[in-house]
Amino acid sequence: MGHRLISEVAISYELGGEVRASVGASVGIAMSPDHGAEVEELLGVADAALYEAKSGGKSRCCLASVETNLVALRRLQQSGPKGPIASAA
């Protein structure tokens, strides 16, 4: 799914006249319940997977791994709760 998303986004776009633009994308994927149950957990793990994808080069896709989960968990613990989800708790 991530590779399909990348290829769909990466098409060349006509901006008018002879002007064209190309867009690139990298994708980080986290799935529930494997990578977390809460939205904040999943977003953190997907963000860590995205960072891993970007570090491997352009237009890449990375599915979260155990290592990715640990990086995201450490980041969440260091930053503490924030945003509308945390303020509702």
Side-chain angles (χ1 to χ4, degrees), residues 26-58:
S26 293
V27 177
I29 299 174
M31 296 185 296
S32 180
D34 296 341
H35 303 117
E38 301 295 322
V39 171
E40 190 171 329
E41 290 173 322
L42 290 167
L43 288 173
V45 172
D47 185 53
L50 174 61
Y51 180 80
E52 191 175 321
K54 286 180 174 184
S55 70
K58 295 183 180 219

Side-chain angles (χ1 to χ4, degrees), residues 3-4 11-13 28 40 43 47 62 66 69 84 87-88:
H3 295 292
R4 182 173 173 219
I11 63 172
S12 183
Y13 297 92
E40 190 171 329
L43 288 173
D47 185 53
C62 181
V66 172
N69 284 12
S87 60

Side-chain angles (χ1 to χ4, degrees), residues 4-87:
R4 182 173 173 219
L5 179 62
I6 291 170
S7 66
E8 291 292 327
V9 169
I11 63 172
S12 183
Y13 297 92
E14 186 176 325
L15 301 178
E18 295 182 21
V19 179
R20 299 190 70 74
S22 297
V23 177
S26 293
V27 177
I29 299 174
M31 296 185 296
S32 180
D34 296 341
H35 303 117
E38 301 295 322
V39 171
E40 190 171 329
E41 290 173 322
L42 290 167
L43 288 173
V45 172
D47 185 53
L50 174 61
Y51 180 80
E52 191 175 321
K54 286 180 174 184
S55 70
K58 295 183 180 219
S59 299
R60 296 184 50 99
C61 175
C62 181
L63 177 63
S65 63
V66 172
E67 183 178 315
T68 309
N69 284 12
L70 290 174
V71 168
L73 180 60
R74 285 187 201 112
R75 191 178 302 153
L76 279 172
Q77 288 174 336
Q78 290 173 353
S79 67
K82 58 184 169 183
I85 296 171
S87 60

